[in-house]
Coordinates of all heavy atoms in Angstrom, one line a residue:
M1 N 11.5 -41.7 60.9 CA 12.0 -40.4 61.3 C 12.1 -39.5 60.1 O 12.7 -39.8 59.1 CB 13.3 -40.6 62.0 CG 13.7 -39.4 62.7 SD 15.2 -39.4 63.7 CE 15.6 -40.8 64.4
L2 N 11.5 -38.3 60.3 CA 11.5 -37.3 59.2 C 12.6 -36.4 59.4 O 12.9 -35.9 60.5 CB 10.2 -36.6 59.2 CG 8.9 -37.3 58.8 CD1 7.7 -36.5 58.9 CD2 9.1 -37.8 57.4
H3 N 13.3 -36.2 58.4 CA 14.3 -35.2 58.4 C 13.8 -34.0 57.5 O 12.9 -34.1 56.8 CB 15.6 -35.7 57.7 CG 16.2 -36.9 58.5 ND1 16.8 -36.7 59.7 CD2 16.2 -38.2 58.3 CE1 17.2 -37.9 60.2 NE2 16.8 -38.8 59.3
G4 N 14.5 -32.8 57.6 CA 14.2 -31.6 56.9 C 14.3 -31.9 55.4 O 14.6 -33.0 54.9
P5 N 14.1 -30.9 54.6 CA 14.3 -31.0 53.2 C 15.7 -31.4 52.8 O 16.6 -31.1 53.5 CB 14.0 -29.6 52.6 CG 13.6 -28.8 53.8 CD 13.8 -29.5 55.0
S6 N 15.7 -32.2 51.7 CA 17.0 -32.7 51.3 C 17.9 -31.5 50.8 O 17.5 -30.4 50.5 CB 16.8 -33.7 50.2 OG 16.4 -33.0 49.0
R7 N 19.2 -31.8 50.7 CA 20.2 -30.9 50.3 C 19.8 -30.4 48.8 O 19.9 -29.2 48.5 CB 21.6 -31.5 50.3 CG 22.6 -30.5 49.9 CD 24.0 -31.1 50.2 NE 25.0 -30.2 50.0 CZ 25.9 -30.2 49.0 NH1 25.8 -31.1 48.1 NH2 26.8 -29.2 48.9
T8 N 19.4 -31.2 48.0 CA 19.1 -30.9 46.6 C 17.9 -29.9 46.6 O 17.8 -29.0 45.8 CB 18.7 -32.2 45.8 OG1 19.8 -33.1 45.9 CG2 18.5 -31.8 44.3
A9 N 16.9 -30.2 47.4 CA 15.7 -29.3 47.5 C 16.1 -27.9 48.0 O 15.6 -26.9 47.5 CB 14.6 -29.9 48.4
K10 N 17.0 -27.8 48.9 CA 17.5 -26.5 49.4 C 18.2 -25.8 48.3 O 18.0 -24.6 48.1 CB 18.4 -26.7 50.6 CG 17.7 -27.2 51.9 CD 18.8 -27.4 53.0 CE 18.1 -28.0 54.2 NZ 19.1 -28.2 55.3
I11 N 19.1 -26.5 47.6 CA 19.8 -25.8 46.5 C 18.8 -25.3 45.4 O 18.9 -24.2 44.9 CB 20.8 -26.8 45.9 CG1 21.9 -27.0 46.9 CG2 21.4 -26.2 44.6 CD1 22.9 -28.1 46.5
A12 N 17.8 -26.1 45.1 CA 16.8 -25.7 44.1 C 16.0 -24.5 44.6 O 15.7 -23.6 43.8 CB 15.9 -26.9 43.8
G13 N 15.7 -24.5 45.8 CA 14.9 -23.3 46.4 C 15.8 -22.0 46.3 O 15.2 -21.0 46.0
V14 N 17.0 -22.2 46.7 CA 17.9 -21.0 46.7 C 18.1 -20.5 45.2 O 18.1 -19.3 44.9 CB 19.3 -21.3 47.3 CG1 20.3 -20.2 47.1 CG2 19.1 -21.5 48.8
A15 N 18.3 -21.4 44.3 CA 18.4 -21.1 42.9 C 17.2 -20.4 42.3 O 17.2 -19.4 41.6 CB 18.8 -22.3 42.1
A16 N 16.0 -20.9 42.7 CA 14.7 -20.3 42.3 C 14.6 -18.9 42.8 O 14.2 -17.9 42.1 CB 13.6 -21.2 42.7
L17 N 14.9 -18.7 44.1 CA 14.9 -17.4 44.7 C 15.8 -16.4 44.0 O 15.5 -15.3 43.7 CB 15.2 -17.5 46.2 CG 15.1 -16.2 47.0 CD1 13.7 -15.6 46.9 CD2 15.5 -16.4 48.4
A18 N 17.1 -16.9 43.8 CA 18.1 -16.0 43.1 C 17.6 -15.7 41.7 O 17.8 -14.5 41.2 CB 19.4 -16.8 43.1
G19 N 17.0 -16.6 41.0 CA 16.5 -16.3 39.7 C 15.4 -15.3 39.7 O 15.3 -14.4 38.8
M20 N 14.5 -15.4 40.7 CA 13.4 -14.4 40.8 C 14.0 -13.0 41.1 O 13.5 -12.0 40.5 CB 12.4 -14.8 41.8 CG 11.5 -15.9 41.3 SD 10.1 -16.3 42.5 CE 11.0 -17.3 43.7
M21 N 15.0 -13.0 42.0 CA 15.6 -11.7 42.3 C 16.3 -11.1 41.1 O 16.2 -9.9 40.9 CB 16.6 -11.9 43.5 CG 15.9 -12.2 44.8 SD 17.0 -12.6 46.1 CE 18.1 -11.2 46.2
M22 N 16.9 -11.9 40.3 CA 17.6 -11.4 39.1 C 16.6 -10.9 38.1 O 16.9 -9.9 37.4 CB 18.4 -12.6 38.5 CG 19.6 -12.3 37.7 SD 20.7 -11.2 38.6 CE 21.9 -11.2 37.3
A23 N 15.5 -11.6 38.0 CA 14.4 -11.1 37.0 C 13.9 -9.7 37.4 O 13.6 -8.9 36.6 CB 13.3 -12.1 37.0
V24 N 13.7 -9.5 38.7 CA 13.2 -8.2 39.2 C 14.3 -7.1 38.9 O 13.9 -6.0 38.5 CB 12.9 -8.3 40.7 CG1 12.7 -6.9 41.3 CG2 11.7 -9.2 41.0
V25 N 15.5 -7.4 39.1 CA 16.6 -6.4 38.8 C 16.6 -6.1 37.4 O 16.7 -4.9 37.0 CB 18.0 -6.9 39.3 CG1 19.1 -6.0 38.8 CG2 18.0 -7.0 40.9
V26 N 16.6 -7.1 36.5 CA 16.6 -6.9 35.1 C 15.4 -6.1 34.6 O 15.5 -5.1 33.8 CB 16.7 -8.2 34.3 CG1 16.5 -8.0 32.8 CG2 18.1 -8.8 34.6
A27 N 14.2 -6.4 35.1 CA 13.0 -5.7 34.8 C 13.1 -4.2 35.2 O 12.7 -3.3 34.5 CB 11.8 -6.3 35.4
G28 N 13.7 -4.0 36.4 CA 13.9 -2.6 36.9 C 14.8 -1.8 36.0 O 14.6 -0.6 35.7
V29 N 15.9 -2.4 35.6 CA 16.9 -1.7 34.7 C 16.3 -1.4 33.3 O 16.5 -0.3 32.8 CB 18.2 -2.5 34.6 CG1 19.1 -2.0 33.5 CG2 18.9 -2.6 35.9
V30 N 15.5 -2.4 32.8 CA 15.0 -2.2 31.4 C 13.9 -1.1 31.4 O 13.8 -0.3 30.5 CB 14.5 -3.5 30.9 CG1 13.6 -3.4 29.7 CG2 15.6 -4.5 30.7
T31 N 13.1 -1.1 32.4 CA 11.9 -0.1 32.4 C 12.2 1.2 33.1 O 11.3 2.0 33.3 CB 10.7 -0.8 33.1 OG1 11.0 -1.1 34.4 CG2 10.3 -2.0 32.3
R32 N 13.5 1.4 33.5 CA 13.8 2.7 34.1 C 13.5 3.9 33.2 O 13.8 3.8 32.0 CB 15.3 2.7 34.5 CG 15.7 4.0 35.2 CD 17.2 4.0 35.5 NE 17.6 2.8 36.3 CZ 18.8 2.3 36.3 NH1 19.7 2.9 35.6 NH2 19.0 1.3 37.1
E33 N 12.9 4.9 33.8 CA 12.6 6.1 33.0 C 13.8 6.8 32.7 O 14.7 7.1 33.5 CB 11.6 7.0 33.8 CG 10.2 6.3 33.9 CD 9.3 7.3 34.6 OE1 9.5 8.5 34.5 OE2 8.3 6.8 35.2
R34 N 13.9 7.2 31.4 CA 15.1 8.0 31.0 C 14.6 9.5 30.9 O 13.5 9.7 30.5 CB 15.6 7.5 29.6 CG 16.2 6.1 29.8 CD 16.5 5.5 28.5 NE 17.2 4.2 28.6 CZ 16.6 3.1 28.9 NH1 15.3 3.0 29.1 NH2 17.2 1.9 29.1
P35 N 15.5 10.4 31.2 CA 15.1 11.8 31.1 C 14.8 12.2 29.6 O 15.4 11.7 28.7 CB 16.4 12.6 31.6 CG 17.5 11.6 31.4 CD 16.9 10.2 31.5
V36 N 13.8 13.0 29.5 CA 13.3 13.5 28.2 C 14.3 14.6 27.8 O 14.5 15.6 28.6 CB 11.9 14.0 28.3 CG1 11.4 14.6 27.0 CG2 11.0 12.9 28.8
P37 N 14.8 14.6 26.6 CA 15.7 15.6 26.1 C 14.9 16.9 26.0 O 13.8 17.0 25.7 CB 16.2 15.2 24.8 CG 15.2 14.1 24.3 CD 14.6 13.5 25.6
A38 N 15.6 18.0 26.4 CA 15.0 19.3 26.3 C 14.7 19.7 24.9 O 15.6 19.5 24.0 CB 15.9 20.4 27.0
T39 N 13.6 20.3 24.6 CA 13.2 20.7 23.3 C 13.5 22.2 23.2 O 13.4 23.0 24.2 CB 11.8 20.5 23.0 OG1 11.0 21.2 24.0 CG2 11.4 19.0 23.0
T40 N 13.9 22.6 22.0 CA 14.2 24.0 21.8 C 13.0 24.7 21.3 O 12.2 24.1 20.5 CB 15.4 24.2 20.8 OG1 15.0 23.6 19.6 CG2 16.7 23.6 21.3
P41 N 12.7 25.9 21.8 CA 11.5 26.6 21.3 C 11.7 27.0 19.9 O 12.8 27.3 19.4 CB 11.4 27.8 22.2 CG 12.8 28.0 22.8 CD 13.4 26.6 22.8
V42 N 10.5 27.0 19.1 CA 10.6 27.4 17.7 C 10.7 28.9 17.7 O 9.9 29.6 18.3 CB 9.3 26.9 17.0 CG1 9.2 27.4 15.6 CG2 9.2 25.4 17.1
P43 N 11.7 29.4 16.9 CA 11.8 30.8 16.8 C 10.5 31.4 16.1 O 9.9 30.8 15.3 CB 13.0 31.0 15.9 CG 13.7 29.7 16.0 CD 12.7 28.7 16.3
Q44 N 10.2 32.6 16.5 CA 9.0 33.2 16.0 C 9.1 33.4 14.4 O 8.1 33.4 13.7 CB 8.7 34.6 16.7 CG 7.4 35.1 16.4 CD 6.2 34.3 17.0 OE1 6.4 33.4 17.8 NE2 5.0 34.5 16.5
A45 N 10.3 33.6 13.9 CA 10.5 33.8 12.5 C 10.1 32.6 11.7 O 9.7 32.8 10.5 CB 11.9 34.2 12.2
T46 N 10.1 31.4 12.2 CA 9.7 30.2 11.5 C 8.3 29.8 11.7 O 7.9 28.8 11.2 CB 10.7 29.1 11.8 OG1 10.5 28.8 13.2 CG2 12.1 29.4 11.5
A47 N 7.6 30.6 12.5 CA 6.2 30.2 12.7 C 5.4 30.4 11.4 O 5.7 31.3 10.6 CB 5.6 31.1 13.8
V48 N 4.4 29.6 11.2 CA 3.5 29.7 10.0 C 2.6 30.9 10.2 O 1.8 30.9 11.1 CB 2.8 28.4 9.8 CG1 1.9 28.5 8.5 CG2 3.7 27.2 9.7
P49 N 2.5 31.8 9.2 CA 1.6 32.9 9.3 C 0.1 32.3 9.2 O -0.1 31.3 8.6 CB 1.9 33.7 8.0 CG 3.2 33.3 7.6 CD 3.4 31.9 8.1
E50 N -0.8 33.0 9.9 CA -2.1 32.5 10.0 C -2.8 32.4 8.7 O -3.6 31.5 8.4 CB -2.9 33.5 10.9 CG -4.3 33.0 11.2 CD -5.1 33.9 12.2 OE1 -4.4 34.5 13.1 OE2 -6.3 34.0 12.1
A51 N -2.5 33.4 7.8 CA -3.2 33.3 6.4 C -2.7 32.1 5.7 O -3.5 31.4 5.0 CB -2.8 34.6 5.6
L52 N -1.4 31.7 5.8 CA -0.9 30.6 5.1 C -1.6 29.3 5.7 O -1.9 28.4 5.0 CB 0.6 30.5 5.2 CG 1.3 29.3 4.5 CD1 0.9 29.3 3.0 CD2 2.8 29.3 4.7
T53 N -1.7 29.3 7.0 CA -2.3 28.1 7.7 C -3.7 27.9 7.2 O -4.2 26.8 6.9 CB -2.3 28.3 9.2 OG1 -0.9 28.5 9.6 CG2 -2.9 27.1 9.9
R54 N -4.5 29.0 7.1 CA -5.9 28.9 6.7 C -6.0 28.4 5.2 O -6.8 27.6 4.9 CB -6.6 30.2 6.8 CG -7.1 30.5 8.3 CD -7.8 31.8 8.3 NE -6.8 32.8 8.0 CZ -7.0 34.1 8.0 NH1 -8.1 34.6 8.2 NH2 -6.0 34.9 7.7
E55 N -5.1 29.0 4.4 CA -5.1 28.6 3.0 C -4.7 27.1 2.8 O -5.4 26.4 2.0 CB -4.1 29.5 2.2 CG -4.1 29.2 0.7 CD -5.3 29.5 0.0 OE1 -6.2 30.2 0.5 OE2 -5.5 29.2 -1.2
L56 N -3.7 26.6 3.6 CA -3.4 25.2 3.5 C -4.5 24.3 4.0 O -4.7 23.2 3.5 CB -2.1 25.0 4.3 CG -0.8 25.6 3.7 CD1 0.4 25.4 4.6 CD2 -0.5 25.0 2.3
D57 N -5.2 24.8 5.0 CA -6.4 24.0 5.5 C -7.4 23.9 4.5 O -8.1 22.9 4.3 CB -6.9 24.6 6.8 CG -6.0 24.4 8.0 OD1 -5.2 23.5 8.0 OD2 -6.2 25.1 9.0
R58 N -7.7 25.0 3.8 CA -8.7 25.0 2.7 C -8.3 24.1 1.6 O -9.1 23.3 1.1 CB -8.9 26.5 2.2 CG -9.9 26.6 1.1 CD -10.0 28.0 0.5 NE -8.8 28.2 -0.4 CZ -8.8 27.8 -1.6 NH1 -9.7 27.1 -2.2 NH2 -7.7 28.1 -2.4
C59 N -7.0 24.2 1.2 CA -6.5 23.4 0.1 C -6.5 21.9 0.4 O -6.7 21.1 -0.5 CB -5.1 23.8 -0.2 SG -5.0 25.5 -0.9
A60 N -6.4 21.5 1.7 CA -6.4 20.1 2.1 C -7.8 19.5 1.8 O -7.9 18.2 1.7 CB -6.1 20.0 3.6
T61 N -8.8 20.3 1.7 CA -10.2 19.7 1.5 C -10.5 19.7 0.0 O -11.5 19.1 -0.4 CB -11.2 20.5 2.2 OG1 -11.2 21.9 1.7 CG2 -11.0 20.5 3.7
L62 N -9.8 20.3 -0.9 CA -10.1 20.4 -2.3 C -9.6 19.1 -3.0 O -8.6 18.5 -2.6 CB -9.4 21.6 -2.9 CG -9.8 23.0 -2.4 CD1 -9.0 24.0 -3.2 CD2 -11.3 23.2 -2.6
T63 N -10.4 18.8 -4.1 CA -10.0 17.6 -4.9 C -9.6 18.1 -6.3 O -9.0 17.3 -7.0 CB -11.2 16.7 -5.0 OG1 -12.3 17.3 -5.6 CG2 -11.5 16.1 -3.7
M64 N -9.8 19.3 -6.6 CA -9.5 19.9 -7.9 C -8.2 20.8 -7.8 O -8.0 21.4 -6.8 CB -10.6 20.7 -8.5 CG -11.9 19.9 -8.8 SD -11.7 18.6 -10.0 CE -11.5 19.6 -11.5
P65 N -7.4 20.8 -8.8 CA -6.2 21.7 -8.8 C -6.7 23.2 -8.6 O -7.7 23.6 -9.2 CB -5.6 21.5 -10.1 CG -6.1 20.2 -10.7 CD -7.5 20.1 -10.1
D66 N -5.9 24.0 -7.9 CA -6.2 25.4 -7.6 C -4.9 26.1 -7.6 O -4.0 25.7 -7.0 CB -6.9 25.5 -6.3 CG -7.4 26.9 -6.0 OD1 -8.4 27.3 -6.5 OD2 -6.6 27.6 -5.2
A67 N -4.9 27.2 -8.4 CA -3.6 28.0 -8.5 C -3.2 28.6 -7.1 O -2.0 28.6 -6.8 CB -3.8 29.1 -9.5
G68 N -4.2 29.0 -6.3 CA -3.9 29.6 -5.0 C -3.3 28.5 -4.1 O -2.4 28.8 -3.3
C69 N -3.8 27.3 -4.2 CA -3.2 26.2 -3.4 C -1.8 25.9 -3.8 O -1.0 25.6 -3.0 CB -4.1 25.0 -3.5 SG -5.7 25.2 -2.7
E70 N -1.6 25.9 -5.1 CA -0.2 25.6 -5.6 C 0.8 26.6 -5.0 O 1.9 26.2 -4.6 CB -0.2 25.6 -7.1 CG -1.0 24.5 -7.8 CD -0.5 23.1 -7.5 OE1 0.8 22.9 -7.4 OE2 -1.3 22.2 -7.4
A71 N 0.4 27.9 -5.0 CA 1.3 28.9 -4.5 C 1.4 28.7 -3.0 O 2.5 28.9 -2.4 CB 0.7 30.3 -4.8
A72 N 0.4 28.4 -2.3 CA 0.5 28.2 -0.8 C 1.4 27.0 -0.5 O 2.2 27.1 0.4 CB -0.9 28.0 -0.2
W73 N 1.2 25.9 -1.2 CA 2.1 24.7 -1.0 C 3.6 25.1 -1.3 O 4.5 24.6 -0.6 CB 1.6 23.5 -1.8 CG 0.4 22.9 -1.2 CD1 -0.8 22.8 -1.9 CD2 0.2 22.3 0.0 NE1 -1.7 22.2 -1.0 CE2 -1.1 21.8 0.1 CE3 1.1 22.0 1.1 CZ2 -1.6 21.2 1.2 CZ3 0.6 21.4 2.2 CH2 -0.8 21.0 2.3
A74 N 3.8 25.9 -2.3 CA 5.2 26.2 -2.7 C 5.8 27.1 -1.6 O 6.9 27.0 -1.2 CB 5.2 27.0 -4.0
A75 N 5.0 28.1 -1.0 CA 5.5 28.9 0.0 C 5.7 28.1 1.3 O 6.7 28.3 2.0 CB 4.4 30.0 0.4
N76 N 4.9 27.1 1.6 CA 5.1 26.3 2.7 C 6.4 25.4 2.6 O 7.1 25.2 3.5 CB 3.9 25.3 2.9 CG 3.9 24.7 4.3 OD1 4.2 25.3 5.3 ND2 3.6 23.4 4.3
R77 N 6.6 24.9 1.3 CA 7.9 24.1 1.1 C 9.1 25.0 1.3 O 10.1 24.6 1.9 CB 7.9 23.6 -0.3 CG 7.1 22.2 -0.4 CD 7.4 21.6 -1.8 NE 7.0 22.4 -2.9 CZ 5.7 22.5 -3.4 NH1 4.8 21.7 -2.8 NH2 5.4 23.2 -4.4
R78 N 9.1 26.3 0.7 CA 10.2 27.2 0.9 C 10.4 27.5 2.4 O 11.6 27.5 2.8 CB 9.9 28.5 0.1 CG 10.1 28.4 -1.4 CD 10.1 29.7 -2.0 NE 8.9 30.5 -1.7 CZ 7.8 30.5 -2.5 NH1 7.7 29.7 -3.5 NH2 6.8 31.2 -2.1
R79 N 9.3 27.7 3.1 CA 9.5 28.0 4.6 C 10.1 26.8 5.3 O 10.9 26.9 6.1 CB 8.1 28.3 5.2 CG 8.2 28.7 6.6 CD 6.8 28.8 7.2 NE 6.1 27.5 7.1 CZ 6.3 26.5 8.0 NH1 7.1 26.6 8.9 NH2 5.6 25.4 7.8
F80 N 9.6 25.6 4.9 CA 10.0 24.3 5.6 C 11.5 24.1 5.3 O 12.3 23.7 6.3 CB 9.2 23.1 5.1 CG 9.6 21.8 5.7 CD1 9.2 21.5 7.0 CD2 10.4 20.9 5.1 CE1 9.6 20.3 7.6 CE2 10.8 19.8 5.6 CZ 10.4 19.4 6.9
F81 N 12.0 24.2 4.1 CA 13.3 24.0 3.8 C 14.3 25.1 4.0 O 15.5 25.1 3.8 CB 13.5 23.5 2.3 CG 12.9 22.1 2.1 CD1 11.7 21.9 1.3 CD2 13.4 21.0 2.7 CE1 11.2 20.6 1.2 CE2 12.9 19.7 2.5 CZ 11.8 19.5 1.8
G82 N 13.7 26.3 4.5 CA 14.5 27.4 4.8 C 15.1 28.1 3.6 O 16.2 28.7 3.7
E83 N 14.4 28.1 2.5 CA 14.9 28.7 1.3 C 14.6 30.2 1.3 O 13.7 30.7 2.1 CB 14.3 28.1 0.1 CG 14.6 26.6 -0.1 CD 13.8 25.9 -1.2 OE1 13.1 26.6 -1.9 OE2 14.0 24.7 -1.3
E84 N 15.3 31.0 0.5 CA 15.1 32.4 0.5 C 13.7 32.7 -0.1 O 13.1 32.0 -0.8 CB 16.1 33.1 -0.4 CG 17.5 33.0 0.1 CD 17.7 33.8 1.4 OE1 17.1 34.9 1.5 OE2 18.3 33.3 2.3
G85 N 13.2 33.8 0.4 CA 11.8 34.2 -0.1 C 10.7 33.4 0.5 O 9.7 33.2 -0.1
A86 N 10.9 32.9 1.7 CA 9.9 32.0 2.3 C 8.7 32.8 2.8 O 7.6 32.2 3.0 CB 10.5 31.2 3.4
Q87 N 8.8 34.1 3.0 CA 7.7 34.8 3.5 C 6.7 35.1 2.4 O 7.1 35.5 1.3 CB 8.2 36.2 4.1 CG 9.1 36.1 5.3 CD 8.4 35.4 6.5 OE1 7.2 35.6 6.7 NE2 9.2 34.7 7.2
P88 N 5.4 34.7 2.6 CA 4.4 34.9 1.5 C 4.1 36.4 1.3 O 4.2 37.2 2.1 CB 3.2 34.1 2.0 CG 3.4 34.0 3.5 CD 4.9 34.1 3.8

């Protein structure tokens, strides 16, 4: 005479089902999308002037020292660090 699954098999099945459900919950919590923090717009005063941008692009391709490039990099550093006299 055949009887249904044993008590141990039932407990193992319920434990396996509970484990799978727990894994789904943990995966859902871990991968939940978090809101992106709002970014502040860059004030127009700190925008890089077009002439400085072109000069820095030109200087990036040079391999020899250039006085104009040294001045452009110095102006860019002053602008970046917010020092006085940053406007070229």
